[in-house]
Amino acid sequence: SGYTEIVRLLISQPNIDTSSDIKFKDADMLLKRSNVNGNVLLHFVVSNKLCNIKIVQNIIQLCPACVSVTNIINKTPIDIAIDNGLTVEIVSSLLLNTTGFVLLKYIDHSKYGDVVKAMLPNGSFDYIARVHIVGDGGAGKTTLRNWIESGKLVMNPLRTIGADISSITEDRIKWMIYDYGGQKEYHVNHSRFLRGNNSVYVVVLNLFQFINCKGEVLESPVALTDIQLLIDNYCYWLKFINSSISSDVSVITCLNGYQINNPNNTDKINRLIDKIKFTQSIWKKNEKHIRFVNGANDEIFLADMIKDESSIKNIISVIRNQAKDIGKETYDNYQLIENIINERKELFPR
């Protein structure tokens, strides 16, 4: 706080390397207005035609309210960005965090009008929710996604490359389902999509290994004997989620396993569940943004995703209820994400 003018001067210089991933930690500083014209930092950033989308996104992630702040001439950062003819990626990042009233203001804009129309309601659904399914390779994420989409078991022996994004519409709610590849080489790009708005997160753990270190599917599953390894993986994904969000989110934990209902596995599963609950208790004390959603009597969700249809449907019911709870009006949704890729080449040819 107090450094707004200094940062403004730095950002206004065309020789500054604006491709650097600048991080901001203080939302109050970002909302501090200039005494001269009532601008906040985001106004200054988008005034520079060389500004980088990373800076804009970092500001929005910490302080979404900055997008709607008006200066003394009643202009928001969106107004300035559009007047300045900034890239569609930057303008879209701003528009995704505003209201339908602002969108309507630019619906007939010669450059951005078609993009704005893609964000407005199409009448087929009232709400949109995003379901993020994360976990290690071979944990059963794609199997769970297939259950959600089709209501039945669909076997897919191929590993997910990067992230698969699909959508379904049900009861006037549009679900955007993100199935993230578990192999570490893909993790660097996951944070692009792991935003907290309109989102519920599902962390899938598996008592068995179905994929080897090379990403190859094993002929038969191998039981994991190191429970602490699973807990370490669980903490890894919680940290990954926590570092990518800026608002409160719900996290559902699902323990998947071949023959998970076999009495011979009971002791191992109970020990793992105790460690999961202990881990959750630590996170509840230290990380306020994450809210764990467990079953009745605080039970961890268990399922053999290949054979246990009733347990799978119970998990999906919980995910569906969470999705309904966090659903927002379509004006504030991320419908642009599924439209912008198809429209960008036509609207903004290089």
Side-chain angles (χ1 to χ4, degrees):
S1 182
Y3 294 98
T4 303
E5 293 299 324
I6 296 176
V7 177
R8 176 185 67 81
L9 291 173
L10 287 173
I11 290 176
S12 66
Q13 300 303 311
N15 60 336
I16 295 296
D17 180 12
T18 54
S19 65
S20 59
D21 194 5
I22 299 176
K23 297 291 185 182
F24 301 94
K25 295 183 179 181
D26 188 348
D28 292 334
M29 185 274 281
L30 296 178
L31 282 171
K32 186 175 180 180
R33 294 175 180 269
S34 165
N35 293 330
V36 178
N37 48 27
N39 287 338
V40 296
L41 181 59
L42 189 55
H43 282 99
F44 294 122
V45 170
V46 297
S47 296
N48 183 358
K49 290 188 177 182
L50 297 179
C51 80
N52 185 274
I53 189 172
K54 289 183 180 180
I55 300 177
V56 175
Q57 289 178 334
N58 286 336
I59 293 176
I60 293 174
Q61 183 177 24
L62 181 61
C63 185
C66 290
V67 174
S68 303
V69 174
T70 56
N71 58 17
I72 60 174
I73 59 174
N74 206 33
K75 283 191 176 265
T76 67
I78 295 175
D79 298 324
I80 294 177
I82 290 179
D83 291 346
N84 214 13
L86 297 186
T87 66
V88 64
E89 289 87 356
I90 291 177
V91 171
S92 298
S93 296
L94 296 166
L95 290 173
L96 287 170
N97 288 273
T98 188
T99 66
F101 298 105
V102 175
L103 293 175
L104 290 172
K105 179 179 179 181
Y106 292 106
I107 195 169
D108 294 321
H109 192 278
S110 59
K111 182 175 182 180
Y112 305 105
D114 288 339
V115 176
V116 170
K117 291 174 185 175
M119 301 177 69
L120 291 172
N122 62 10
S124 63
F125 56 92
D126 299 322
Y127 303 97
I128 189 167
R130 308 202 305 173
V131 178
H132 304 267
I133 308 175
V134 301
D136 290 340
K141 303 180 295 298
T142 301
T143 303
L144 177 59
R145 187 197 75 189
N146 291 336
W147 271 107
I148 294 174
E149 291 179 350
S150 64
K152 61 183 180 181
L153 174 66
V154 178
M155 297 297 294
N156 183 4
L158 301 177
R159 69 173 181 173
T160 301
I161 305 298
D164 282 345
I165 305 175
S166 57
S167 65
I168 58 174
T169 302
E170 179 183 83
D171 297 331
R172 303 290 297 179
I173 297 178
K174 190 177 188 68
W175 295 40
M176 299 294 295
I177 306 173
Y178 295 74
D179 174 14
Y180 296 92
Q183 284 68 35
K184 289 189 176 180
E185 61 263 32
Y186 305 135
H187 296 183
V188 65
N189 292 318
H190 288 352
S191 58
R192 287 183 175 184
F193 306 102
L194 282 170
R195 294 184 58 178
N197 302 62
N198 300 46
S199 294
V200 57
Y201 298 81
V202 184
V203 181
V204 182
L205 304 174
N206 202 321
L207 283 169
F208 289 79
Q209 183 178 358
F210 288 82
I211 297 177
N212 62 21
C213 60
K214 297 180 181 180
E216 301 167 338
V217 178
L218 300 173
E219 292 184 3
S220 58
V222 177
L224 294 175
T225 57
D226 189 351
I227 291 180
Q228 188 57 47
L229 177 61
L230 282 174
I231 295 300
D232 291 343
N233 293 342
Y234 185 47
C235 291
Y236 171 84
W237 286 109
L238 292 179
K239 291 177 182 177
F240 205 102
I241 294 169
N242 193 60
S243 66
S244 304
I245 62 176
S246 59
S247 58
D248 295 345
V249 300
S250 297
V251 173
I252 298 171
T253 306
C254 179
L255 182 57
N256 178 29
Y258 175 70
Q259 294 185 346
I260 201 168
N261 296 318
N262 189 322
N264 295 329
N265 295 324
T266 301
D267 180 63
K268 180 180 180 180
I269 292 173
N270 287 339
R271 285 187 288 120
L272 178 58
I273 288 175
D274 288 341
K275 285 183 174 291
I276 290 175
K277 288 184 176 180
F278 177 75
T279 300
Q280 290 182 351
S281 68
I282 298 299
W283 274 80
K284 289 176 183 177
K285 292 179 181 178
N286 300 321
E287 303 295 342
K288 304 302 182 183
H289 280 321
I290 288 182
R291 182 176 71 91
F292 294 100
V293 178
N294 296 333
N297 301 317
D298 200 33
E299 296 173 353
I300 302 299
F301 295 105
L302 306 175
D304 180 341
M305 292 193 188
I306 296 178
K307 297 181 179 180
D308 193 355
E309 181 175 349
S310 61
S311 295
I312 285 291
K313 289 187 175 180
N314 178 49
I315 294 170
I316 293 175
S317 175
V318 173
I319 295 173
R320 180 182 291 110
N321 289 336
Q322 288 298 311
K324 288 181 179 179
D325 289 343
I326 56 92
K328 294 175 65 179
E329 290 187 5
T330 307
Y331 286 145
D332 297 320
N333 71 28
Y334 291 84
Q335 187 175 347
L336 175 64
I337 290 176
E338 61 176 332
N339 291 291
I340 192 65
I341 296 176
N342 296 327
E343 296 187 8
R344 192 187 192 291
K345 292 183 179 179
E346 298 179 6
L347 297 176
F348 306 97
R350 291 187 180 276

